[in-house]
Amino acid sequence: MRVVFVGVGEAFDEGLANTSLFVAGLAGLAGETRRTVLLDCGFTAGAAFFACPAIAPADRQDGPDAVWISHFHGDHFLGLPWLIARLHEQGRSRPLCVHGGAGVAAKVLAALDLAYPNLREKLSFEIVGIEARPGVAFDLAGFGARAELTGHGAPCLGLRLETRLGALYYGGDGPMTAKGLELASGCSLAVLEAYGLEAGVPGHGSVSEAVEAAEAAWVEALAVVHVRREVRRERGDAIRRMLTDASIRAFLPEPGEVFEAS
């Protein structure tokens, strides 16, 4: 499993693209097929995907096999029209599956129609919206997957993605719930939102909560993302100290950083 941190920023960070991950791994019963998924695609993530040197040129040309949308806040899904239009321009022909919560198909198409009113009728590939339900296993681009609600203000689904070589938990926004903790158990990597240093921001997680949850879930590594821009700039050293003191490997990823599990 190879995870590229396309973006690591929060909604309104002017220097860091919205949090988005590009995951490549082996899928299928025999683990013989390489598949790719883009996790979240907010306002600035689409452009960051195509500019990311850690993503192979062929993957940037053809795009991911599927997209996962944790929830429908703009910094997590309103980069999709940009991504879709660019892939159309580049000649993509195979369908693009977009997985997410209730209403994902209608929301994605409405955003596309608003951004580019005449594009859908001439789009070179089909957009397939697939709804995920909490607690129900499903297939995501050939990977086994399950989702559970997080503690965000809007309905947000944390995702467990199973590859042949390692499992990933991606929480989207919000502190981890008890069901999310079960979902993340034993993962190679947990990627958790940490808006502040300590708990206290309604609907959002923190560095201290992320460390506590990752340790409790016995994950092998933790990455904290979506840190409030002022906190990351002014308290970055404090964040790194907190992560260094964790009992597991924990880090604050930079854009383009790569995590690999084997």
Side-chain angles (χ1 to χ4, degrees):
M1 178 179 71
R2 186 174 190 265
V3 180
V4 179
F5 292 88
V6 176
V8 297
E10 41 101 326
F12 309 118
D13 194 318
E14 71 278 15
L16 296 173
N18 299 144
T19 293
S20 179
L21 313 178
F22 181 70
V23 183
L26 297 177
L29 294 177
E32 73 286 357
T33 306
R34 179 182 181 274
R35 304 306 298 268
T36 61
V37 180
L38 185 67
L39 305 182
D40 278 344
C41 188
F43 301 122
T44 54
F49 171 83
F50 290 100
C52 184
I55 299 173
D59 286 327
R60 282 182 273 156
Q61 172 62 34
D62 199 36
D65 292 313
V67 177
W68 165 259
I69 299 299
S70 64
H71 64 296
F72 301 112
H73 281 164
D75 58 308
H76 290 262
F77 100 105
L78 279 181
L80 268 176
W82 200 105
L83 181 83
I84 290 166
R86 173 71 177 257
L87 292 175
H88 167 77
E89 186 183 74
Q90 292 180 175
R92 181 183 175 116
S93 58
R94 61 196 177 100
L96 178 66
C97 293
V98 182
H99 297 253
V104 61
K107 290 178 186 296
V108 170
L109 293 177
L112 181 63
D113 289 344
L114 184 62
Y116 300 104
N118 300 315
L119 179 58
R120 202 198 322 177
E121 62 191 35
K122 56 186 179 183
L123 202 61
S124 60
F125 58 91
E126 182 183 7
I127 299 171
V128 181
I130 303 174
E131 293 188 5
R133 290 184 292 165
V136 179
F138 61 100
D139 178 281
L140 205 171
F143 301 117
R146 285 180 291 154
E148 293 287 359
L149 289 167
T150 72
H152 195 39
C156 176
L157 290 171
L159 174 74
R160 182 185 178 107
L161 195 68
E162 300 273 0
T163 78
R164 185 169 176 268
L165 298 174
L168 168 73
Y169 177 82
Y170 171 63
D173 280 358
M176 190 180 284
T177 61
K179 288 186 176 181
L181 197 66
E182 294 176 9
L183 205 61
S185 179
C187 279
S188 303
L189 175 66
V191 181
L192 301 180
E193 182 248 5
Y195 196 66
L197 286 178
E198 303 290 345
V201 181
H204 285 282
S206 65
V207 177
S208 62
E209 289 172 297
V211 169
E212 181 180 359
E215 290 176 334
W218 292 93
V219 303
E220 295 179 23
L222 163 69
V224 296
V225 295
H226 202 285
V227 179
R228 183 174 174 86
R229 55 196 182 279
E230 297 92 346
V231 174
R232 183 170 177 129
R233 285 196 296 263
E234 299 167 13
R235 303 295 304 280
D237 289 344
I239 294 171
R240 292 181 181 90
R241 283 195 299 271
M242 292 173 71
L243 297 177
T244 298
D245 290 341
S247 63
I248 57 171
R249 177 190 172 192
F251 62 104
L252 180 67
E254 295 293 333
E257 192 165 338
V258 177
F259 174 92
E260 293 194 70
S262 59

